Amino acid sequence: MNGNDTPHEGPFGQLVDEQLELAASRLPTLAPGVAHPSPADHEERTAPHATLEDVLLGNAQPSPEMLEELAALEAAPGLSDEELARQALADGGADGDPATPE
């Protein structure tokens, strides 16, 4: 059913109108200018943390924690080819089959 063939008259339309009026009558009325309850009534949401992608695209500034983590990763020693191969063979992957390492 699209917008052109939606029945606006008849018993179904009347039922929908009655239900809407009933729902509207049960909604609490808010004082003008009150957007939401006070912070004492609920916890305020904090701003989401910037992701590395946001920082790289210039949409956000890196947090001190992000900078510390990146510095620690940069200072960490690299893995040898043997260690990478050992880790790959030890992990069975998504299917858990060690015969097909990921």
Side-chain angles (χ1 to χ4, degrees):
M1 200 180 268
N2 60 33
N4 295 337
D5 59 0
T6 302
H8 297 286
E9 302 293 328
F12 180 72
Q14 183 179 0
L15 177 65
V16 170
D17 289 340
E18 289 172 359
Q19 292 299 316
L20 288 172
E21 288 176 20
L22 180 62
S25 68
R26 292 183 179 174
L27 290 175
T29 56
L30 298 176
V34 175
H36 58 80
S38 70
D41 295 337
H42 66 284
E43 291 183 22
E44 292 290 330
R45 291 185 179 180
T46 59
H49 297 290
T51 63
L52 182 60
E53 182 179 359
D54 291 334
V55 172
L56 292 175
L57 293 174
N59 296 332
Q61 294 296 321
S63 66
E65 294 84 13
M66 182 185 290
L67 293 175
E68 288 175 14
E69 186 177 346
L70 288 173
L73 288 172
E74 196 171 295
L79 297 177
S80 66
D81 291 340
E82 293 81 17
E83 176 61 17
L84 290 173
R86 186 197 65 74
Q87 288 181 11
L89 290 172
D91 185 10
D95 59 2
D97 185 3
T100 58
E102 309 285 320

